[in-house]
Structures are given as C-alpha cells and as structure tokens.
Amino acid sequence: MPKRNLTRAAVVQAAADLLDECTGAELKLADLAARLGVRVPSLYNHIEGADDLRAAIARFGTEELGRKLAHAAIGRSGEDALWAIADAYRAFAKARPGIYPLTLRAPSPDDVARIAASDAIIEVIKRVLEPFGLTDDETIHVIRGLRSLLHGFVSLELAGGFGLPFDVDVSFRRLISAFLTGLRKNANEATTIGGGELGNGTRG
C-alpha cells in the first residue's frame, strides 16, 4: 500500500487482519509496518502507540460484530431472530479469533465511539427480545446471560475444548434451545403474575 494512501482506518484494518492471522501471539508494530509497506515511525502518524491501536481494534471489532448481529436479525423476530444472532455471534468469533477477545471488555467511559457501538448491539438484542415481554431490567439480565452462554461456548470451541466425537453444532443448538425454553417459561410466568422488578441494569 503506497504511503500516500495510508490512513488510520487502513492501519486499524490491517492490524485487525494481522491479529486474526496470528491468534494468540502479540501484535508487533514491526509486523504491521511490514504488512503496510512502511517503516514503524510512519505508523505514528496514524496511531499514538500500542495502547491506542489496541483500543481502535476493539472499536473496529465491536462495530463489525454489531453489523453482523443487526444484519442477522433483519426480517426476523422473536425466537427466529435470537437463533440468527446466536449463529452470527458464533460465526464472528470463529472468523475473527484475534480481535474477538478485544470486544469483550466493557468500553472505558471516555471511549465514546465504542460505547455507541456497544449500545447499538444491546439495542439490536433488546428488539429481538421484545416479544418475550421482559421488563427493562429483566432484558439486561437476559442479555448478559445470552452473552455469557455464547462466549463460553465459542471460547471453548476456539480453544479446541470439545474433543469428544459428538457434533459440536448439535451441542450449540441444544444450548440455545435450552436458553429459549427458559425465556418462554419466564414469559409465561410474567403473563400470569404481571411481571416484576429484578434490580438495576447497567450497560451489558
């Protein structure tokens, strides 16, 4: 890539791709510079350093995950939409094994762009969960539960944690099916007793 065309976005994109390729290894600025065809000092025209680059990749990954989930939910609702975003989340983690871990930590209070990206993901899942009749507080708890299930499964999958000769896809479907069974039970109980408050919710 010619130097004159180098932008911060291009640097972050290249860093994200490189991180996916060297999953588990430290991202070195020298390797990134070589990928871009520039010298390391040239990178500092676009990033402030390793920490700034790491934060930028986290924003990049969070935004990409949000787009994947939103696209998966288009034209779907309720259980069908939840299945779709669960599959999309798993696919993203498998396709982006290097940047996926950077999307996990909650954004810092001063990272406005990543907060917006994180909130956009929460809004997508909130819309998916609307048919289940949850209160606002319940919705946040359910989102956290869903995220925990998905992350736990894909983390084990990426780490090669499923060694027994059984279909991993079947295991994933059964996991999401069990989660949906719990949601349906909760919705039925809420209809019967009129719902209730579960406590204060914060950013997922």
Side-chain angles (χ1 to χ4, degrees):
M1 180 182 294
K3 291 183 183 180
R4 64 179 179 274
N5 290 335
L6 194 61
T7 63
R8 178 177 172 87
V11 170
V12 173
Q13 172 76 64
D17 292 343
L18 189 59
L19 194 58
D20 285 329
E21 294 170 15
C22 63
T23 304
E26 180 183 356
L27 176 62
K28 298 179 180 178
L29 293 183
D31 293 336
L32 177 59
R35 168 67 64 91
L36 292 166
V38 300
R39 303 178 116 189
V40 171
S42 296
L43 296 177
Y44 289 94
N45 293 323
H46 308 284
I47 60 171
E48 296 177 7
D51 289 343
D52 178 44
L53 179 60
R54 186 180 179 86
I57 296 172
R59 287 192 292 273
F60 174 87
T62 303
E63 290 168 353
E64 183 173 322
L65 174 59
R67 289 192 296 271
K68 298 289 186 183
L69 297 183
H71 180 76
I74 292 175
R76 297 181 170 92
S77 63
E79 293 189 18
D80 184 39
L82 195 145
W83 278 112
I85 64 172
D87 286 335
Y89 186 101
R90 182 185 177 204
F92 171 82
K94 293 169 71 174
R96 290 295 208 171
I99 67 174
Y100 168 68
L102 298 183
T103 68
L104 299 175
R105 182 181 291 275
S108 60
D110 60 342
D111 193 341
V112 177
R114 186 151 177 252
I115 287 174
S118 178
D119 285 350
I121 290 175
I122 293 174
E123 287 305 312
V124 168
I125 304 176
K126 278 183 175 180
R127 290 196 296 272
V128 168
L129 293 173
E130 283 178 358
F132 295 98
L134 303 169
T135 67
D136 289 343
D137 288 353
E138 286 175 326
T139 297
I140 294 299
H141 292 304
V142 167
I143 290 173
R144 287 177 173 172
L146 177 61
R147 183 187 181 203
S148 298
L149 285 175
L150 294 173
H151 172 63
F153 192 95
V154 299
S155 295
L156 287 168
E157 187 173 21
L158 290 173
F162 299 130
L164 296 176
F166 292 89
D167 193 325
V168 176
D169 291 339
V170 172
S171 298
F172 185 73
R173 306 304 285 180
R174 290 192 175 195
L175 177 69
I176 303 305
S177 180
F179 182 80
L180 282 168
T181 296
L183 269 183
R184 286 192 297 268
K185 182 175 182 294
N186 181 83
N188 290 337
E189 290 178 351
T191 300
T192 301
I193 65 176
E197 291 295 321
L198 291 183
N200 292 327
T202 58
R203 179 168 284 111

